[in-house]
Amino acid sequence: MLRLILLTGVLATAPLFSASIDPSLKDGELKWFSLTETKAEVLQKVGPPANVTTFGSDFEGWQYHAGNTDHHEYSHYFVFRRSTGRLISVTRAYEEEQNVDALFPPAHTAVHRTADKLWGARVCSLNGGRRLIAMGSTKPGERTSQLLLILDSELRYFHPWLAD
């Protein structure tokens, strides 16, 4: 009986991972996060994080492991402003590179490169002052292992080369 109670407790606090926490398209629009969510809303949608870190003067990161992810690596990383408790970015790290062309319509997508031109990313401008970024992918058909959804206003803190 004690084992059943413990197992129930573990399952009740396990992350509630589902397809809804991965980016998708519905009627041609990105369905993921609006970046207006609070910590409580993310906790309700995703469950408790595997790890919480604070960094800088005003940031808090929540790491999650989904699927068969190597538990030394995270599958999802949420960053909040500590002063407001609001979500400012979500990163989805994939074990195997993904084709994300459907999320990057040419009319709303630009390619940005680092100053040395050795590395780049596709950047899609979205409503709500958000940008979706395919790290390391600079053209259709080129796969990525990391998607980042971030508020325009926060790019300068994390990826200044994309803020220009």
Side-chain angles (χ1 to χ4, degrees), residues 110-129:
V111 173
H112 292 259
R113 295 188 182 275
T114 55
D116 60 11
K117 307 286 188 219
L118 295 176
W119 203 76
R122 284 190 280 173
V123 180
C124 181
S125 296
L126 304 169
N127 61 7

Side-chain angles (χ1 to χ4, degrees), residues 17-59:
F17 284 100
S18 68
S20 67
I21 69 154
D22 277 340
S24 64
L25 286 177
K26 184 174 181 183
D27 299 325
E29 290 198 27
L30 177 70
K31 299 298 177 196
W32 201 14
F33 290 90
S34 64
L35 300 183
T36 60
E37 293 87 354
T38 64
K39 290 179 186 180
E41 291 168 328
V42 171
L43 192 60
Q44 182 179 15
K45 184 173 184 176
V46 185
N51 190 31
V52 175
T53 59
T54 57
F55 57 97
S57 62
D58 195 26
F59 302 106

Side-chain angles (χ1 to χ4, degrees), residues 67-82:
N68 297 325
T69 306
D70 174 352
H71 287 284
H72 292 95
E73 299 292 329
Y74 62 86
S75 62
H76 294 77
Y77 189 67
F78 295 76
V79 176
F80 299 88
R81 277 249 177 225
R82 288 173 42 206

